[in-house]
Amino acid sequence: MPNRLRRINDALPGLVAGIILYAVVVQLAGVWFVRDKLGYSVGLWFGAFVAVGLAINIATVILDSVTLDGGRRAEMRIIVKSVLRYLVVAALFLLFGYLKLGNLFTAFIGVLGLKISAYMQPLLEKLGKRAKAQDESGRNCPGALGCEETENSGNNLSGRGDAASGDKI
């Protein structure tokens, strides 16, 4: 599944994982404080899955805008997909507000997972790269993108690897 999402957009698997992680945190933090636990959970997870759908839709709209030749048909397709996103969110809120299928507030919180994940994406990506670098090398790498500090430490007798030790920078 991540490879399929990555074909649409490189950042999409991380964005989807962030939405799900956000929903898990909100679920674990808040379900204990409400009376209607089922409504809380249904609203939250329905909103989170709508957020995942919105993320995929946004990624396909971006892909279409870059790959389609700039004709009128391509422009209309992009506009229709964008309007469809807003209609889906409006339908979600109408269903939860009118039919009381779940908690409307937690459905909104679930949809906000898209925004939270988008803002957290750079941090989560950096943490992922750091963990991957640590696993591959078997040592702790604070910079993670090659462990420059530790690789250059054996270049001289002092072990410092900087201008103070006489190395050229």
Side-chain angles (χ1 to χ4, degrees):
M1 179 76 168
N3 289 334
R4 187 182 251 175
L5 294 175
R6 196 173 314 282
R7 275 187 276 170
I8 298 171
N9 189 317
D10 286 338
L12 191 55
L15 187 65
V16 170
I19 293 168
I20 293 170
L21 177 67
Y22 167 78
V24 167
V25 169
V26 171
Q27 174 74 33
L28 293 175
V31 75
W32 310 108
F33 302 107
V34 294
R35 288 187 185 140
D36 183 17
K37 295 178 186 333
L38 181 64
Y40 178 91
S41 298
V42 167
L44 175 67
W45 286 102
F46 200 86
F49 287 125
V50 166
V52 168
L54 294 174
I56 293 170
N57 182 275
I58 290 169
T60 57
V61 167
I62 291 170
L63 182 67
D64 287 349
S65 68
V66 175
T67 58
L68 294 176
D69 58 351
R72 178 78 179 141
R73 183 172 167 251
E75 185 179 321
M76 282 304 296
R77 185 174 176 186
I78 292 167
I79 291 170
V80 167
K81 282 185 174 185
S82 298
V83 169
L84 180 66
R85 258 195 328 268
Y86 292 110
L87 291 176
V88 166
V89 173
L92 166 74
F93 291 148
L94 285 174
L95 282 173
F96 277 73
Y98 183 70
L99 298 177
K100 309 268 191 237
L101 295 177
N103 189 322
L104 178 62
F105 181 70
T106 57
F108 175 71
I109 296 296
V111 171
L112 278 181
L114 177 61
K115 295 288 187 188
I116 301 297
S117 180
Y119 288 126
M120 295 297 292
Q121 181 79 19
L123 176 67
L124 293 175
E125 189 173 318
K126 186 175 182 180
L127 291 174
K129 285 181 181 178
R130 182 173 288 172
K132 185 177 178 183
Q134 186 175 5
D135 287 344
E136 288 175 355
S137 67
R139 59 184 179 208
N140 190 5
C141 299
L145 292 176
C147 298
E148 290 84 10
E149 302 93 17
T150 56
E151 288 178 0
N152 293 332
S153 62
N155 289 345
N156 59 24
L157 295 177
S158 70
R160 292 177 57 185
D162 58 3
S165 65
D167 288 348
K168 294 180 181 177
I169 295 179

